[in-house]
Amino acid sequence: MAVTQLLIHAPTVDALKRAQNNARNLLKLESDAQVEIVVNGPATALAVTLSDEDILSRLVICRNSLQAQTLSAQPQVRQVDAAVQYLAHQQAKGWSYIRA
């Protein structure tokens, strides 16, 4: 079976909380799954306070949202110019999408 590649979109604080649980639950079942939590909008303020290394390694934060809220991401967190563009490009490469 192919490795699961999943984008979990988290644009709100509640969605980011759900996304973390979704990622952990999937990885319990499929330890080799590729899971990214794509954060933008209001969820960005919570994302920059997270400290769980496994979650941080899976975060992809929208630079537009960081700049709009004058926030800085943790150094190890991946940033993209625009979450919407990143989500579209990853889906075009075959990644599955869910909104948390």
Side-chain angles (χ1 to χ4, degrees), residues 10-20 39-47 50 69 99-100:
T12 67
V13 169
D14 286 341
L16 180 52
K17 292 174 184 176
R18 285 190 302 271
Q20 292 176 76
V39 178
N40 67 327
T44 308
L46 174 59
L50 298 176
Q69 298 173 59
R99 185 188 183 282

Side-chain angles (χ1 to χ4, degrees), residues 19-83:
Q20 292 176 76
N21 290 330
N22 293 158
R24 288 184 187 109
N25 289 337
L26 176 59
L27 290 164
K28 283 179 192 173
L29 299 172
E30 299 182 34
S31 61
D32 62 341
Q34 295 177 11
V35 181
E36 295 183 345
I37 300 171
V38 183
V39 178
N40 67 327
T44 308
L46 174 59
V48 300
T49 70
L50 298 176
S51 59
D52 180 311
E53 288 298 323
D54 186 51
I55 294 298
L56 290 176
S57 72
R58 298 173 188 289
L59 284 184
V60 178
I61 298 183
C62 176
R63 194 171 289 117
N64 286 333
S65 294
L66 287 167
Q67 291 172 350
Q69 298 173 59
T70 56
L71 297 169
S72 297
Q74 301 88 327
Q76 68 272 41
V77 173
R78 182 168 177 202
Q79 296 178 35
V80 294
D81 290 331

